[in-house]
Amino acid sequence: GADHNLAIRSNGTVVAWGWNAYGQCNVPDTVTNAIAIAGGARHSMALLSTGQVVCWGGNESGQCVVPETATNVTAIAAGGFHNVALLGDNTVVAWGLDSRGQTDVPEDVTEAISVTAGAEFSLALLKDGTVVGWGDQTDGLAIPPAGLSNVVQIVAGEFHAIALRADGTVTTWGDNSFNALMFPTNLTSVALIAAGGFHSEVLLQNPNLLTPAHLTGQGLETDLNIPAGSGYVLESSPDLRQWSPMQSGKAVPGQMHLVLPNSAPSAFFRVKLTSAP
C-alpha cells in the first residue's frame, strides 16, 4: 500500500506491516486461503480461493464495503481509496471513492482479463490486447496511448501506468515528475513489469526462464511450447501439474497443455530451466 506492506504465506494466510493508523495491517481472521493481495492508501484487501474478497482498514470512502456483485472474483487491484475486481465472466466491478469516475466502469468492458488501479484511475486489459481506462484523465492517466495493442500485462503507480507488449517492449504514460516514465529507449525482452507509487521496475527475460503467464477464468486453457530437453519444470500456484503432461515432475518436451481447474479462480505459472537439458 502507500505506507504498508502485505505478503501471502505459502499456507494462504496473509501478514501485513507498516503504517497502521487505520487498521490496514490488522489482517482479519477470515483471511485464509488467500491467492492475491492489494493495498491502497489506508486499506488492504485479499482475494480468497473461493473467489471472495475481504477488505480491512480505512473505510472513509466505502472502499472496505465489498459490493454484493463482487463474487467469483479472479483478480483484484487497489487504488488510493477505491478497488477494482475482475469477475470470472470477464466483467469488472469497482467500488470506493469515485471523485474522478474511477469506479464508473465503462459498459464496453466485458472481455477483461486483468485490472489495475492508480490513485484515482482504473485500467483493464481486454482479451484482444487493448487497454481501457476510466477515472482521472490528468496527464492522460485514464487514456491509454493511441494504437496501444498486443498488451499482455498492465500495472499502475499513483499517477502513471505501464503496459507490457507481447514482443517484450514497454509503453508508459501519465505523470513523469519523478521520471517514472523514463525507461531506457533500448529496453527490450521484458518479461514482467511493476509500479510503485512514483517509480517503475521491469524483469528482463532470462534465456533459462520462459515468460511467466497467467490463467484466469474457470476452465480456461492454454498451450506452452516446451523446448526439447528434460530440464524444464513447471512452477504454478495452484499446482497445475496433474493437468499437464509431466514425467517425474518435469515437463515433457513438446507442447504442454494447461487447464485451469474449476476449483481455482486463477493461477500463475511459469516453466523454468533448473538443470541442463
Side-chain angles (χ1 to χ4, degrees), residues 22 48-49 52 63 70 90 103 154 172 186 190 230 244-245 247 274:
Y22 292 84
L48 309 187
S49 60
Q52 175 189 359
Q63 64 266 42
N90 301 109
T103 64
I154 53 173
T172 61
N186 61 345
V190 175
S230 59
S244 311
Q247 290 178 353
T274 57

Side-chain angles (χ1 to χ4, degrees), residues 4-9 13-20 23-27 44 56:
H4 71 288
N5 305 296
L6 299 163
I8 301 178
R9 295 188 179 99
T13 60
V14 172
V15 60
W17 66 98
W19 187 46
N20 195 34
Q24 60 266 51
C25 294
N26 299 335
V27 183
S44 305
W56 64 96

Side-chain angles (χ1 to χ4, degrees), residues 35 47-48 50-53 69-76 85-88 265:
I35 59 174
L47 172 61
L48 309 187
T50 58
Q52 175 189 359
V53 176
T69 53
T71 59
N72 191 25
V73 176
T74 61
I76 55 174
L86 175 66
L87 306 187

Side-chain angles (χ1 to χ4, degrees), residues 27-277:
V27 183
D29 293 337
T30 55
V31 178
T32 59
N33 298 315
I35 59 174
I37 48 178
R42 300 173 179 174
H43 73 285
S44 305
M45 60 190 307
L47 172 61
L48 309 187
S49 60
T50 58
Q52 175 189 359
V53 176
V54 178
C55 295
W56 64 96
N59 191 39
E60 58 270 59
S61 300
Q63 64 266 42
C64 286
V65 181
V66 182
E68 294 182 358
T69 53
T71 59
N72 191 25
V73 176
T74 61
I76 55 174
F81 296 88
H82 77 287
N83 303 309
V84 185
L86 175 66
L87 306 187
D89 62 359
N90 301 109
T91 60
V92 174
V93 174
W95 67 96
L97 182 66
D98 196 33
S99 54
R100 299 292 185 94
Q102 61 265 45
T103 64
D104 299 333
V105 184
E107 293 182 359
D108 59 349
V109 179
T110 58
E111 295 293 322
I113 58 173
S114 178
V115 291
T116 189
E120 295 180 297
F121 70 101
S122 306
L123 299 171
L125 172 61
L126 306 186
K127 285 183 178 179
D128 63 3
T130 61
V131 179
V132 176
W134 60 96
D136 186 5
Q137 297 188 12
T138 306
D139 296 313
L141 286 171
I143 307 174
L148 182 62
S149 60
N150 297 317
V151 175
V152 295
Q153 185 190 2
I154 53 173
V155 295
E158 287 196 39
F159 302 106
H160 73 288
I162 315 169
L164 172 64
R165 292 191 179 94
D167 62 1
T169 59
V170 171
T171 296
T172 61
W173 66 97
D175 177 48
N176 194 38
S177 298
F178 295 90
N179 296 322
L181 310 184
M182 299 297 289
F183 278 90
T185 56
N186 61 345
L187 186 65
T188 58
S189 300
V190 175
L192 288 172
I193 53 177
F198 301 95
H199 71 283
S200 306
E201 300 175 359
V202 301
L203 172 67
L204 299 181
Q205 292 180 12
N206 184 317
N208 291 337
L209 178 65
L210 274 67
T211 303
H214 181 208
L215 285 177
T216 182
Q218 293 182 348
L220 187 65
E221 304 180 16
T222 191
D223 293 315
L224 285 179
N225 289 317
I226 308 302
S230 59
Y232 287 88
V233 297
L234 177 69
E235 296 180 349
S236 63
S237 178
D239 191 349
L240 301 179
R241 283 181 297 179
Q242 59 183 303
W243 296 278
S244 311
M246 305 289 291
Q247 290 178 353
S248 300
K250 293 185 177 182
V252 176
Q255 190 177 74
M256 178 183 291
H257 187 67
L258 303 180
V259 179
L260 185 65
N262 289 333
S263 60
S266 65
F268 289 91
F269 64 89
R270 64 179 181 178
V271 178
K272 180 181 180 183
L273 181 62
T274 57
S275 61

